[in-house]
């Protein structure tokens, strides 16, 4: 296979088409590559094979790849296969390779080669387990040729990015022996209520992609009829599948189950903060103006996998913000939470996949995973406690752990950013999977004597005394454990002036992330301020209402024992 070279920014943008559209999509300029089309049959032979070969030749001529078509299985040698970035099994049937040829193809895939299966490629090599896992599922049966509704589940892959969310077309609709969803990323499904003869029920995958033993696999059940090969949507599907298999278009093809849709056309639950806005069309949000954000105000999240698809047409700027409290504007959301930006030309700590201004992205991994402007990309932001991992098209490009006590990833809202005039970034299919784990804890902090930690007078002014008081259930006795901070009335418990001496006063003040506002659980129920190495202490071991809280050398006494919510 030829070495892969890619240009980060390209003047040619992908043309988005619907199934009802015309023409073939022009991809961003790919480095030249070679494709082998294999159409040998040992069973039923489709009369659409010549049309399929001609289609792929036409696609190659328009999209910078050369095509070699063959039915000679002797081409399956290590030397021959090494010339090709992808091999298309075009309506193959039956046993088409001998044992040595199978071994050569297995080694080709393991060395990073690509496979594309069209229609009856799943009716091929039933006794070759490697092939069955590579294709994803074997053919079981089909009803008569008829119209059916195809629903596009993933519109980020190059094969399906230009397709409508749902469309009706005519083909021979395959039922499969197994459901490939557990091992592949399903790109489209069949709506069995729209035709007769489906046997897979409410989840009938039709097109999917996957990585397998070092290589890439793309399969579609479409392509029985000669007419299929004249359809613009089908042509776009095959081109995108070839580009993915040849490693020219990047995609997250990991299996995906259990996600809840936050946006896939409906903006219910979303609110705009700040200037600018998002247009909502074709199940796609497109930013304009700013600096503002569209945030999911209906719920906050903790311990989750957030996925969303995005595309920028040129050198544009946007980001995804997470971990901020309700009611934030864009600026405060960025300082109380974190932004993962979308701008491939910015500095390392502000570029695609970075944690904005805090931790640079792995630029080598980022460059290898990133599709250029005009093509869709997928982010996964995986939040587990204070750890944030960023995946771009399925590749990890950042791994960050929050240690700033003024911020916390343990709970908060999410948003997409509209950066400003001319920064027109589009988003699709925003979905989330909550992973469970420990919820942010809110409630009283009690002393060993049964008194509550109390904000004097329920005042939220900076410098307000924090004291012991009988427990009343008031809001000034409600504390949220957020990372290494203890928060009440929207502010943080901290040591006055960041002091470290015995007797330094503990008070309420605006959360700044300073060491004086950091607290960790120590031995015997103690709360330790790591900056000073000293413990939260009820002054003079008093239990009286109004006793000032201070820091003091840790000694394990009852006036240094606390029960958190």
């Amino acid at each position: 296979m030829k070495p892969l070279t890619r240009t980060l920014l390209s003047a040619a943008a992908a043309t988005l088409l619907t199934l009802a559209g015309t023409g073939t999509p022009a991809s961003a300029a790919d480095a030249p590559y070679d494709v082998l089309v294999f159409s040998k049959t040992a069973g039923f032979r489709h009369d659409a094979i010549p049309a399929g070969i001609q289609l792929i030749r036409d696609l190659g001529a328009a999209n910078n790849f050369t095509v070699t078509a063959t039915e000679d299985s002797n081409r399956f040698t290590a030397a021959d296969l090494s010339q090709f970035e992808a091999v298309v099994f075009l309506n193959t049937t039956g046993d088409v390779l001998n044992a040595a040829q199978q071994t050569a193809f297995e080694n080709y895939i393991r060395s990073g080669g690509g496979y594309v299966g069209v229609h009856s490629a799943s009716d091929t090599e039933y006794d070759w387990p490697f092939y069955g896992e590579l294709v994803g599922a074997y053919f079981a049966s089909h009803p008569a040729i008829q119209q059916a509704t195809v629903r596009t589940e993933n519109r980020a892959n190059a094969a399906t990015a230009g397709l409508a969310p749902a469309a009706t077309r005519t083909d021979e609709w395959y039922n499969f022996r197994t459901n490939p969803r557990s091992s592949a990323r399903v790109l489209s499904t069949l709506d069995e209520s729209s035709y007769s003869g489906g046997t897979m029920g409410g989840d009938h995958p039709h097109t999917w992609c996957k990585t397998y033993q070092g290589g890439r696999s793309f399969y579609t059940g479409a392509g029985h009829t000669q007419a299929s090969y004249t359809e613009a949507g089908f042509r776009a599907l095959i081109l995108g599948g070839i580009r993915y298999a040849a490693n020219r278009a990047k995609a997250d093809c990991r299996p995906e189950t259990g996600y809840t849709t936050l946006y896939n056309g409906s903006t219910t639950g979303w609110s705009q903060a700040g200037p600018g806005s998002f247009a909502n069309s074709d199940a796609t949000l497109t930013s304009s103006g700013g600096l503002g954000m569209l945030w999911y105000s209906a719920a906050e999240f903790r311990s989750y996998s957030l996925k969303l698809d995005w595309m920028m047409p040129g050198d544009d700027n946007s980001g995804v913000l997470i971990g901020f409290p309700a009611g934030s504007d864009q600026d405060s959301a960025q300082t109380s939470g974190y932004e993962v930006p979308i701008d491939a030309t910015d500095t390392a700590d502000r570029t695609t996949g970075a944690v904005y201004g805090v931790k640079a992205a792995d630029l080598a991994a980022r460059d290898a995973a990133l599709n250029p402007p005009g093509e869709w990309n997928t982010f996964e932001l995986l939040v587990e406690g204070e750890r944030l991992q960023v995946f771009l098209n399925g590749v990890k490009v950042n791994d960050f752990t929050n240690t700033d006590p003024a911020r916390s990833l343990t709970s908060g809202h999410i948003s997409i950013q509209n950066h400003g005039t001319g920064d027109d970034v589009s988003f699709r299919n925003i979905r989330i999977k909550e992973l469970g784990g420990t919820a942010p804890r809110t409630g009283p902090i009690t002393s060993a004597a049964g008194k509550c930690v109390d904000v004097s007078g329920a005042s939220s002014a900076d410098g307000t005394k924090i004291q012991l008081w009988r427990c009343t259930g008031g809001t000034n006795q409600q504390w949220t454990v957020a990372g290494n901070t203890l928060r009440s009335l929207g502010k943080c418990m901290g040591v006055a002036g960041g002091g470290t001496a015995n007797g330094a006063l503990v008070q309420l003040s605006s959360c700044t992330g300073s060491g004086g506002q950091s607290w960790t659980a120590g031995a015997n129920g103690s709360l330790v301020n790591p900056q000073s190495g000293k413990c939260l202490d009820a002054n003079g071991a008093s239990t009286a209402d109004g006793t000032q809280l201070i820091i003091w050398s840790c000694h394990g006494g009852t006036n240094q024992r606390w029960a958190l919510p």
Side-chain angles (χ1 to χ4, degrees), residues 212-286:
Y212 185 65
Q213 295 194 15
R216 293 160 305 285
S217 169
F218 174 91
Y219 172 81
T220 182
H224 175 86
T225 67
Q226 294 184 43
S228 297
Y229 296 86
T230 66
E231 296 174 18
F234 182 79
R235 295 165 71 90
L237 185 79
I238 298 302
L239 174 60
I242 290 172
R243 293 186 65 231
Y244 166 73
N247 204 26
R248 286 335 191 237
K250 310 298 180 177
D252 187 348
C253 285
R254 298 174 297 170
E256 184 175 306
T257 58
Y259 282 77
T260 298
T261 297
L262 300 183
Y263 169 80
N264 201 13
S266 170
T267 55
T268 299
W270 293 84
S271 301
Q272 178 71 32
S277 62
F278 282 85
N280 182 18
S281 177
D282 189 32
T284 304
L285 292 166
T286 302

Side-chain angles (χ1 to χ4, degrees), residues 483-549:
N484 293 327
T485 62
L486 302 173
R487 305 185 183 210
S488 183
L489 304 177
K491 295 196 173 179
C492 282
M493 178 191 296
V495 183
T500 59
N502 280 340
L505 302 180
V506 173
Q507 61 185 24
L508 193 72
S509 57
S510 299
C511 299
T512 63
S514 65
Q517 294 179 347
S518 179
W519 303 92
T520 60
N524 299 318
S526 63
L527 282 173
V528 181
N529 172 238
Q531 176 172 276
S532 63
K534 294 182 176 166
C535 283
L536 183 67
D537 180 288
N539 192 18
S542 173
T543 61
D545 286 354
T547 298
Q548 170 76 57
L549 299 191

Side-chain angles (χ1 to χ4, degrees), residues 46 119-120 122 139 141-142 172-176 190 204 219:
H46 286 75
H119 194 55
S120 63
S122 62
F139 162 81
S141 64
H142 65 78
E172 182 181 74
W173 308 110
Y174 273 11
N175 301 307
F176 300 99
L190 297 180
H204 188 146
Y219 172 81

Side-chain angles (χ1 to χ4, degrees), residues 104-438:
F105 188 61
E106 290 180 12
N107 290 335
Y108 165 79
I109 293 295
R110 290 178 180 129
S111 66
Y115 163 87
V116 174
V118 178
H119 194 55
S120 63
S122 62
D123 188 24
T124 301
E125 295 287 356
Y126 288 95
D127 297 321
W128 181 14
F130 177 93
Y131 183 83
E133 294 174 4
L134 178 69
V135 70
Y138 282 122
F139 162 81
S141 64
H142 65 78
I145 297 172
Q146 60 192 293
Q147 282 192 338
T149 298
V150 182
R151 301 196 180 280
T152 306
E153 182 174 312
N154 181 327
R155 299 170 72 207
N157 191 287
T160 50
L163 304 186
T168 299
R169 58 180 304 271
T170 299
D171 213 322
E172 182 181 74
W173 308 110
Y174 273 11
N175 301 307
F176 300 99
R177 296 184 181 185
T178 57
N179 190 314
R181 189 175 292 276
S182 63
S183 65
R185 179 64 170 107
V186 175
L187 304 179
S188 68
T189 60
L190 297 180
D191 182 347
E192 289 194 354
S193 69
S194 68
Y195 72 103
S196 299
T199 64
M200 298 186 71
D203 184 20
H204 188 146
H206 178 59
T207 300
W208 56 81
C209 62
K210 65 189 299 186
T211 56
Y212 185 65
Q213 295 194 15
R216 293 160 305 285
S217 169
F218 174 91
Y219 172 81
T220 182
H224 175 86
T225 67
Q226 294 184 43
S228 297
Y229 296 86
T230 66
E231 296 174 18
F234 182 79
R235 295 165 71 90
L237 185 79
I238 298 302
L239 174 60
I242 290 172
R243 293 186 65 231
Y244 166 73
N247 204 26
R248 286 335 191 237
K250 310 298 180 177
D252 187 348
C253 285
R254 298 174 297 170
E256 184 175 306
T257 58
Y259 282 77
T260 298
T261 297
L262 300 183
Y263 169 80
N264 201 13
S266 170
T267 55
T268 299
W270 293 84
S271 301
Q272 178 71 32
S277 62
F278 282 85
N280 182 18
S281 177
D282 189 32
T284 304
L285 292 166
T286 302
S287 66
S288 62
L291 183 66
M293 66 179 186
L294 186 67
W295 65 291
Y296 193 71
S297 54
E300 61 181 52
F301 302 101
R302 57 178 178 82
S303 190
Y304 56 85
S305 167
L306 173 67
K307 290 189 177 183
L308 68 164
D309 307 327
W310 56 267
M311 186 272 290
M312 54 183 184
D315 183 7
D316 297 291
N317 198 337
S318 184
V320 183
L321 287 87
I322 60 173
F324 57 89
S328 301
D329 60 21
Q330 202 280 337
D331 290 338
S332 63
Q334 194 159 14
T335 57
S336 60
Y338 286 101
E339 178 191 347
V340 178
I342 300 169
D343 183 354
T345 62
D346 211 331
T347 57
D349 65 339
R350 299 184 177 190
T351 192
T352 307
V355 180
Y356 187 88
V358 177
K359 186 172 182 182
D362 179 334
L363 294 183
R366 191 279 313 265
D367 288 351
L370 181 65
N371 287 319
E375 298 189 27
W376 286 87
N377 292 273
T378 298
F379 263 163
E380 179 188 12
L381 308 186
L382 180 60
V383 176
E384 297 172 290
E386 295 290 358
R387 184 185 184 191
L388 165 62
Q389 298 177 75
V390 181
F391 295 82
L392 174 64
N393 295 324
V395 176
K396 186 190 290 190
V397 297
N398 214 329
D399 194 338
F400 166 73
T401 298
N402 174 50
T403 58
D404 183 349
R407 308 182 186 188
S408 179
L409 290 169
T410 57
S411 181
H413 291 269
I414 65 101
S415 77
I416 53 176
Q417 181 188 76
N418 53 303
H419 191 268
T421 302
D423 287 320
D424 306 320
V425 177
S426 296
F427 296 88
R428 283 178 176 170
N429 194 17
I430 305 174
R431 65 263 192 210
I432 199 162
K433 179 195 284 188
E434 296 189 80
L435 306 177
T438 303

Side-chain angles (χ1 to χ4, degrees), residues 450-454 467-474 476-477 543-546:
K451 293 287 181 79
C452 281
V453 174
D454 177 284
Q467 61 188 4
L468 283 186
W469 201 268
R470 64 184 180 277
C471 297
T472 65
N476 60 321
Q477 294 182 352
T543 61
D545 286 354

